[in-house]
Structures are given as C-alpha cells and as structure tokens.
Amino acid sequence: MAAPGALLVMGVSGSGKSTVGALLASQLGWKFYDADDYHPEENRIKMGKGIPLNDQDRIPWLCNLHDILLREVASGQHVVLACSALKKMYRDILIRGKDGVPRKCDEPGKDEKLAEVKLLVVHLSGSFEVISGRLLKRKGHFMPPELLQSQLDILEPPSAPEIFIQISVTKTLSEIIATIMKALK
C-alpha cells in the first residue's frame, strides 16, 4: 500500500485509540492528534453528564479535524489521528469535509484539488465486556463508561470501499503496532 497522507485510529471509547495512535506516530515520525483534545467544551460537558453526542454535536468537531488533516497533509506532513469516527458519515467528513463534498469545511469552493485526505482507517474492535473492563479502570477522562453502549449502538465498522484494517483490542500493543506497520508497507 502506498503510504496514506493520514492514518485514522478509530473505535469506541476505551479501545486504545490514543495509546496506539501516539506510539504509532512516534515510531513513524508522523504528527499525532488526539481528536478528544478538539472537542468543544459543550461536548465535554454533555458527555460528562452521561448524555451521548448526536450528529449536530459531532459535525462541527469533525469539520475542524478535517481542516487540520487537510492543512497538515497539504504541507507534506503525515498525520496519525485518534478519533472515534463511529459512523461512515463521520469518516467521510474527515476525508472530504462536510456533506462529503470535496472542499474545506471552513472555505467553501477553495482548494478543490487538496480537499480530499488519503486516509487509512485502523479500526480497533472488541467486545463490550473487554472494553467496559478497560473503561472502569480508566481515571480522569470526561467520557463515562456508561456511554460505551451508546457508542456500540451507532458504530458502523469500516467496509469497502473504505481503505481499512480491523485489529482486535485483545492483541498486545506491540502486536497492534506491528500489524499496522505491516499494512503500511
């Protein structure tokens, strides 16, 4: 596979996206972004109260992430993004911008040729039991374990024609990284 401009490490909360993404970026020498760092405060408050986010909450956040990916890739920087990206529509926004049309979210009509980000999707998947066990051990995160089921309910695993690999969260961190590195070759 030709190296993508960006690699998306996706999955439900507690699947290991941030850990895998940060280590992968470090090993590849790519820039790392954790999508959680870009949630507006109102999204964090909502999730902290145990209220699942809806599409209206997520779309502006995803557009912002698309614009970051677009800017970095256009400047020649490879990027690893850790982001839940639970629905295909959300991944399409990360690749193409709002409504899947080829333009920057914040600049309609400009930079048409640069608007699509070549993205390899790495889906970290696991059972409710395994992931909820991880969430119960996690401290200091705004996403409460009670919202895991709501994420699993809306999860649309990647499928063709998306460019993706799926890796079980039951693998060790080194096995997960090795699998991704092999896919990038």
Side-chain angles (χ1 to χ4, degrees):
M1 165 189 299
L7 198 148
L8 168 66
V9 181
M10 66 154 291
V12 296
S13 184
S15 61
K17 300 178 295 289
S18 299
T19 301
V20 169
L23 182 58
L24 188 64
S26 173
Q27 289 192 12
L28 289 168
W30 293 13
K31 196 164 185 178
F32 174 68
Y33 286 94
D34 190 328
D36 282 347
D37 296 338
Y38 294 86
H39 267 298
E41 189 59 27
E42 53 269 22
N43 284 8
R44 290 172 176 270
I45 291 168
K46 192 172 182 179
M47 287 183 282
K49 290 178 179 175
I51 303 167
L53 298 180
N54 59 35
D55 290 351
Q56 291 70 34
D57 298 321
R58 288 185 177 102
I59 289 172
W61 168 67
L62 291 163
C63 278
N64 183 37
L65 294 168
H66 165 77
D67 292 344
I68 291 168
L69 291 176
L70 199 59
R71 181 185 69 237
E72 294 289 358
V73 171
S75 73
Q77 175 67 55
H78 289 277
V79 178
V80 176
L81 172 67
C83 179
S84 53
L86 299 171
K87 293 182 180 182
K88 182 179 186 312
M89 176 182 85
Y90 301 163
R91 297 186 294 275
D92 287 346
I93 291 171
L94 290 172
I95 293 168
R96 295 181 198 91
K98 191 171 187 292
D99 303 323
V101 294
R103 60 173 167 72
K104 286 185 70 172
C105 286
D106 65 353
E107 293 183 32
K110 293 185 180 180
D111 300 320
E112 298 274 341
K113 287 176 248 162
L114 299 174
E116 191 162 309
V117 177
K118 185 174 178 190
L119 192 68
L120 170 64
V121 177
V122 176
H123 177 208
L124 300 177
S125 64
S127 69
F128 175 86
E129 292 73 25
V130 169
I131 295 174
S132 63
R134 288 176 166 197
L135 285 174
L136 291 171
K137 294 175 189 164
R138 186 161 75 173
K139 302 285 183 242
H141 195 276
F142 60 85
M143 176 77 174
E146 298 78 35
L147 288 180
L148 175 60
Q149 189 59 57
S150 70
Q151 288 198 333
L152 289 166
D153 290 345
I154 68 163
L155 175 65
E156 296 171 6
S159 60
E162 290 178 277
I163 302 166
F164 73 97
I165 58 173
Q166 182 168 311
I167 305 173
S168 172
V169 299
T170 59
K171 292 187 178 289
T172 66
L173 184 56
S174 59
E175 288 173 326
I176 291 170
I177 297 296
T179 302
I180 298 167
M181 296 296 253
K182 185 177 177 186
L184 287 171
K185 291 190 176 174

